[in-house]
Amino acid sequence: MLLALAATPEDIEVLLISVTYGNVDVQNCLRNVVSMFHIIEQEIQWRNDRGLPIGFESLRRSKPLVAIGADCPLEDTTRMADYFHGTDGLGGIHDTHKHLTPPETWKGLFMQPPPETDVTSTARSKIKDDLSSPTSLFTPSFRPSHLEILRILEENPPDTVSVIAIGPLTNVALAASHSPRTLMRAKSILVMGGAVSVPGNMTPTAEFNTYADATAAARVYALTSPTPSSTMPPPPPPLSQTASRKETLAEPLPPYPSKDELGDRRLNVLLFPLDITTQHELRRDEFETKTGALIAKGSPLAEWTNAFLSSTFDKMDTLHHGHEGGSASLSLHDPLCVWYALTGEKDSSKWSIKEGEDLRVETAGQWTRGTYIVDRRDRKRLENDDGEDVPGDTGGWLSSTKGNRLGICMQTPGERVLAPLMLETIFA
């Protein structure tokens, strides 16, 4: 997110930050987003006071909305990765570096205000005075984030707005269910998720974002299919009288309209799976080289990022071989999607994208939930078939009218290009 906000307006305009659960619960994710803006504002002031290049041109040109989305998956128990990222998602920074955390009063920013009266007007003025810092760089929304996604797509011409999805796809799936034809106006849905031909990071075969809400991923990817019903996940089993859905949405989402009702347009989804993201790393020594002098000079942003990334580097040192000391490294999973949005959508000549892949998501397997399934058989594809299953091909994998049609990023401008670019862009 910092990479996008620090870019130039010519490269990107961030219209909305759609918050969902992920590595931690949605409220902690929201606090981290608010904290980021709090720190950026301090950093801008620090740079300005010293006559340094201010940076964050895209953010200063256009203030984004921040909207709260889903706090649980569509149909399964919430899974988180707080064992790795800490209970607050930033390695415990809100306890260890309380001076870098905004006042708790920020929570009121996302509460629907009561009707205007003399009393509420006076109270609101006081709150505004107390919260001037957290709100100056973003606008809080009172609407669910999936409705904000749809509103933005409705208000802009088709193929001009992309969605960068770097968490579970629950918010995108809710938008798709509410208005699939509106979501399909997006230029692209850039998804950090899945493991195609490499091991997963949550199970032996599943990556975290897809695993966290496999049903949401399956529903979103189905909108790339010539026949979306062919890859929709099966409905969940009925609940017993003693069961509850307190950790999931109240009711399963309905099927999509028929393919004729949807029209000819389909969703353009481009995947950035672990196969490509894991290869792009940020080493501890290069990060500390860039930020060390800035911390000594008092940079709030350098201190903040060092506080939570040091915790993550330490965790890598603890869990994995070959990550001792300065050689500890982090894979730049999420930044890779942003990097493509900044460069690849304008000029894809240095990127390699494999188009039209029929990749499906397992949603019901005991051991394979969230696994990407591809057809590795050496079978001839059918042409101009009627969509009926043929012997030996249950599920229509060989059909020209069934299955998903996803793009997969296979190659970038360089594995060692992203980390220096990101550090230089963020820290000016």
Side-chain angles (χ1 to χ4, degrees):
M1 196 74 263
L2 280 170
L3 178 58
L5 296 174
T8 65
E10 292 74 27
D11 289 331
I12 197 169
E13 179 185 1
V14 180
L15 301 174
L16 168 70
I17 297 176
S18 169
V19 184
T20 187
Y21 67 96
N23 295 325
V24 292
D25 63 275
V26 70
Q27 283 300 315
N28 269 306
C29 291
L30 179 61
R31 176 168 64 166
N32 293 338
V33 170
V34 175
S35 297
M36 175 186 68
F37 284 107
H38 179 66
I39 293 299
I40 291 175
E41 185 174 49
Q42 293 183 18
E43 179 74 8
I44 289 174
Q45 185 63 55
W46 179 81
R47 294 179 185 180
N48 187 62
D49 290 346
R50 288 156 181 77
L52 301 172
I54 294 177
F56 295 100
E57 293 180 35
S58 176
L59 175 59
R60 291 188 291 124
R61 175 79 64 86
S62 176
K63 186 164 68 169
L65 278 174
V66 174
I68 306 173
D71 60 0
C72 59
L74 296 182
E75 294 178 0
D76 215 319
T77 304
T78 303
R79 268 85 167 181
M80 294 187 292
D82 50 2
Y83 76 95
F84 186 87
H85 296 280
T87 56
D88 66 358
L90 292 179
I93 190 173
H94 298 296
D95 291 325
T96 60
H97 295 70
K98 293 184 178 180
H99 63 290
L100 299 177
T101 300
E104 286 294 302
T105 46
W106 64 263
K107 295 178 180 178
L109 296 171
F110 297 89
M111 296 179 183
Q112 183 70 43
E116 187 73 26
T117 67
D118 289 342
V119 174
T120 57
S121 178
T122 301
R124 193 172 292 119
S125 297
K126 173 132 186 3
I127 291 174
K128 184 177 180 181
D129 291 341
D130 293 341
L131 295 178
S132 58
S133 177
T135 61
S136 64
L137 294 178
F138 72 91
T139 301
S141 172
F142 302 130
R143 306 177 74 208
S145 69
H146 71 278
L147 297 182
E148 292 288 16
I149 292 172
L150 294 173
R151 179 189 60 78
I152 289 172
L153 290 171
E154 280 281 10
E155 292 178 356
N156 289 274
D159 297 318
T160 59
V161 176
S162 291
V163 177
I164 305 175
I166 54 176
L169 287 174
T170 317
N171 288 346
V172 183
L174 290 171
S177 178
H178 192 87
S179 181
R181 294 190 65 168
T182 301
L183 185 66
M184 289 190 292
R185 292 168 61 92
K187 180 177 182 179
S188 56
I189 310 293
L190 309 177
V191 177
M192 191 281 118
V196 181
S197 301
V198 299
N201 61 5
M202 195 65 178
T203 73
T205 58
E207 174 273 335
F208 174 80
N209 287 341
T210 309
Y211 179 82
D213 198 343
T215 299
R219 289 184 63 98
V220 171
Y221 298 169
L223 284 179
T224 70
S225 173
T227 308
S229 61
S230 68
T231 59
M232 282 286 281
L239 294 174
S240 67
Q241 290 184 348
T242 58
S244 71
R245 293 191 183 276
K246 65 180 181 179
E247 290 189 322
T248 65
L249 296 184
E251 296 294 337
L253 298 182
Y256 291 133
S258 69
K259 63 178 183 180
D260 292 333
E261 293 176 282
L262 287 175
D264 294 332
R265 187 180 177 96
R266 288 296 178 263
L267 194 63
N268 180 31
V269 176
L270 176 55
L271 297 178
F272 297 83
L274 294 181
D275 309 54
I276 191 70
T277 62
T278 304
Q279 305 164 23
H280 297 74
E281 297 180 328
L282 172 66
R283 288 174 53 99
R284 185 203 292 261
D285 50 12
E286 67 179 325
F287 172 74
E288 292 180 345
T289 298
K290 183 65 177 179
T291 60
L294 293 172
I295 293 173
K297 295 177 181 177
S299 164
L301 182 61
E303 181 186 5
W304 185 67
T305 54
N306 180 73
F308 67 81
L309 283 182
S310 292
S311 171
T312 313
F313 284 127
D314 290 343
K315 183 65 70 172
M316 292 295 295
D317 190 339
T318 301
L319 295 178
H320 299 280
H321 295 293
H323 285 269
E324 295 77 19
S327 63
S329 61
L330 305 174
S331 293
L332 300 174
H333 303 297
D334 299 347
L336 187 57
C337 292
V338 177
W339 186 25
Y340 181 82
L342 293 173
T343 62
E345 288 198 311
K346 295 178 181 178
D347 178 11
S348 60
S349 61
K350 296 183 180 180
W351 297 77
S352 175
I353 307 299
K354 192 174 184 180
E355 302 284 359
E357 286 296 289
D358 183 7
L359 183 152
R360 309 185 194 182
V361 180
E362 176 58 62
T363 61
Q366 179 182 4
W367 308 114
T368 56
R369 168 188 169 182
T371 299
Y372 280 1
I373 308 298
V374 295
D375 188 357
R376 305 185 193 279
R377 301 173 298 176
D378 185 20
R379 295 281 301 274
K380 290 184 178 180
R381 305 294 172 182
L382 303 176
E383 295 183 8
N384 301 318
D385 62 292
D386 58 8
E388 295 294 324
D389 282 350
V390 299
D393 186 40
T394 302
W397 291 87
L398 302 178
S399 172
S400 62
T401 63
K402 291 185 176 181
N404 295 327
R405 302 291 187 269
L406 300 163
I408 303 176
C409 181
M410 307 297 291
Q411 183 178 336
T412 72
E415 295 175 10
R416 288 304 306 156
V417 174
L418 178 54
L421 171 68
M422 184 176 70
L423 292 174
E424 186 63 30
T425 301
I426 293 173
F427 294 105

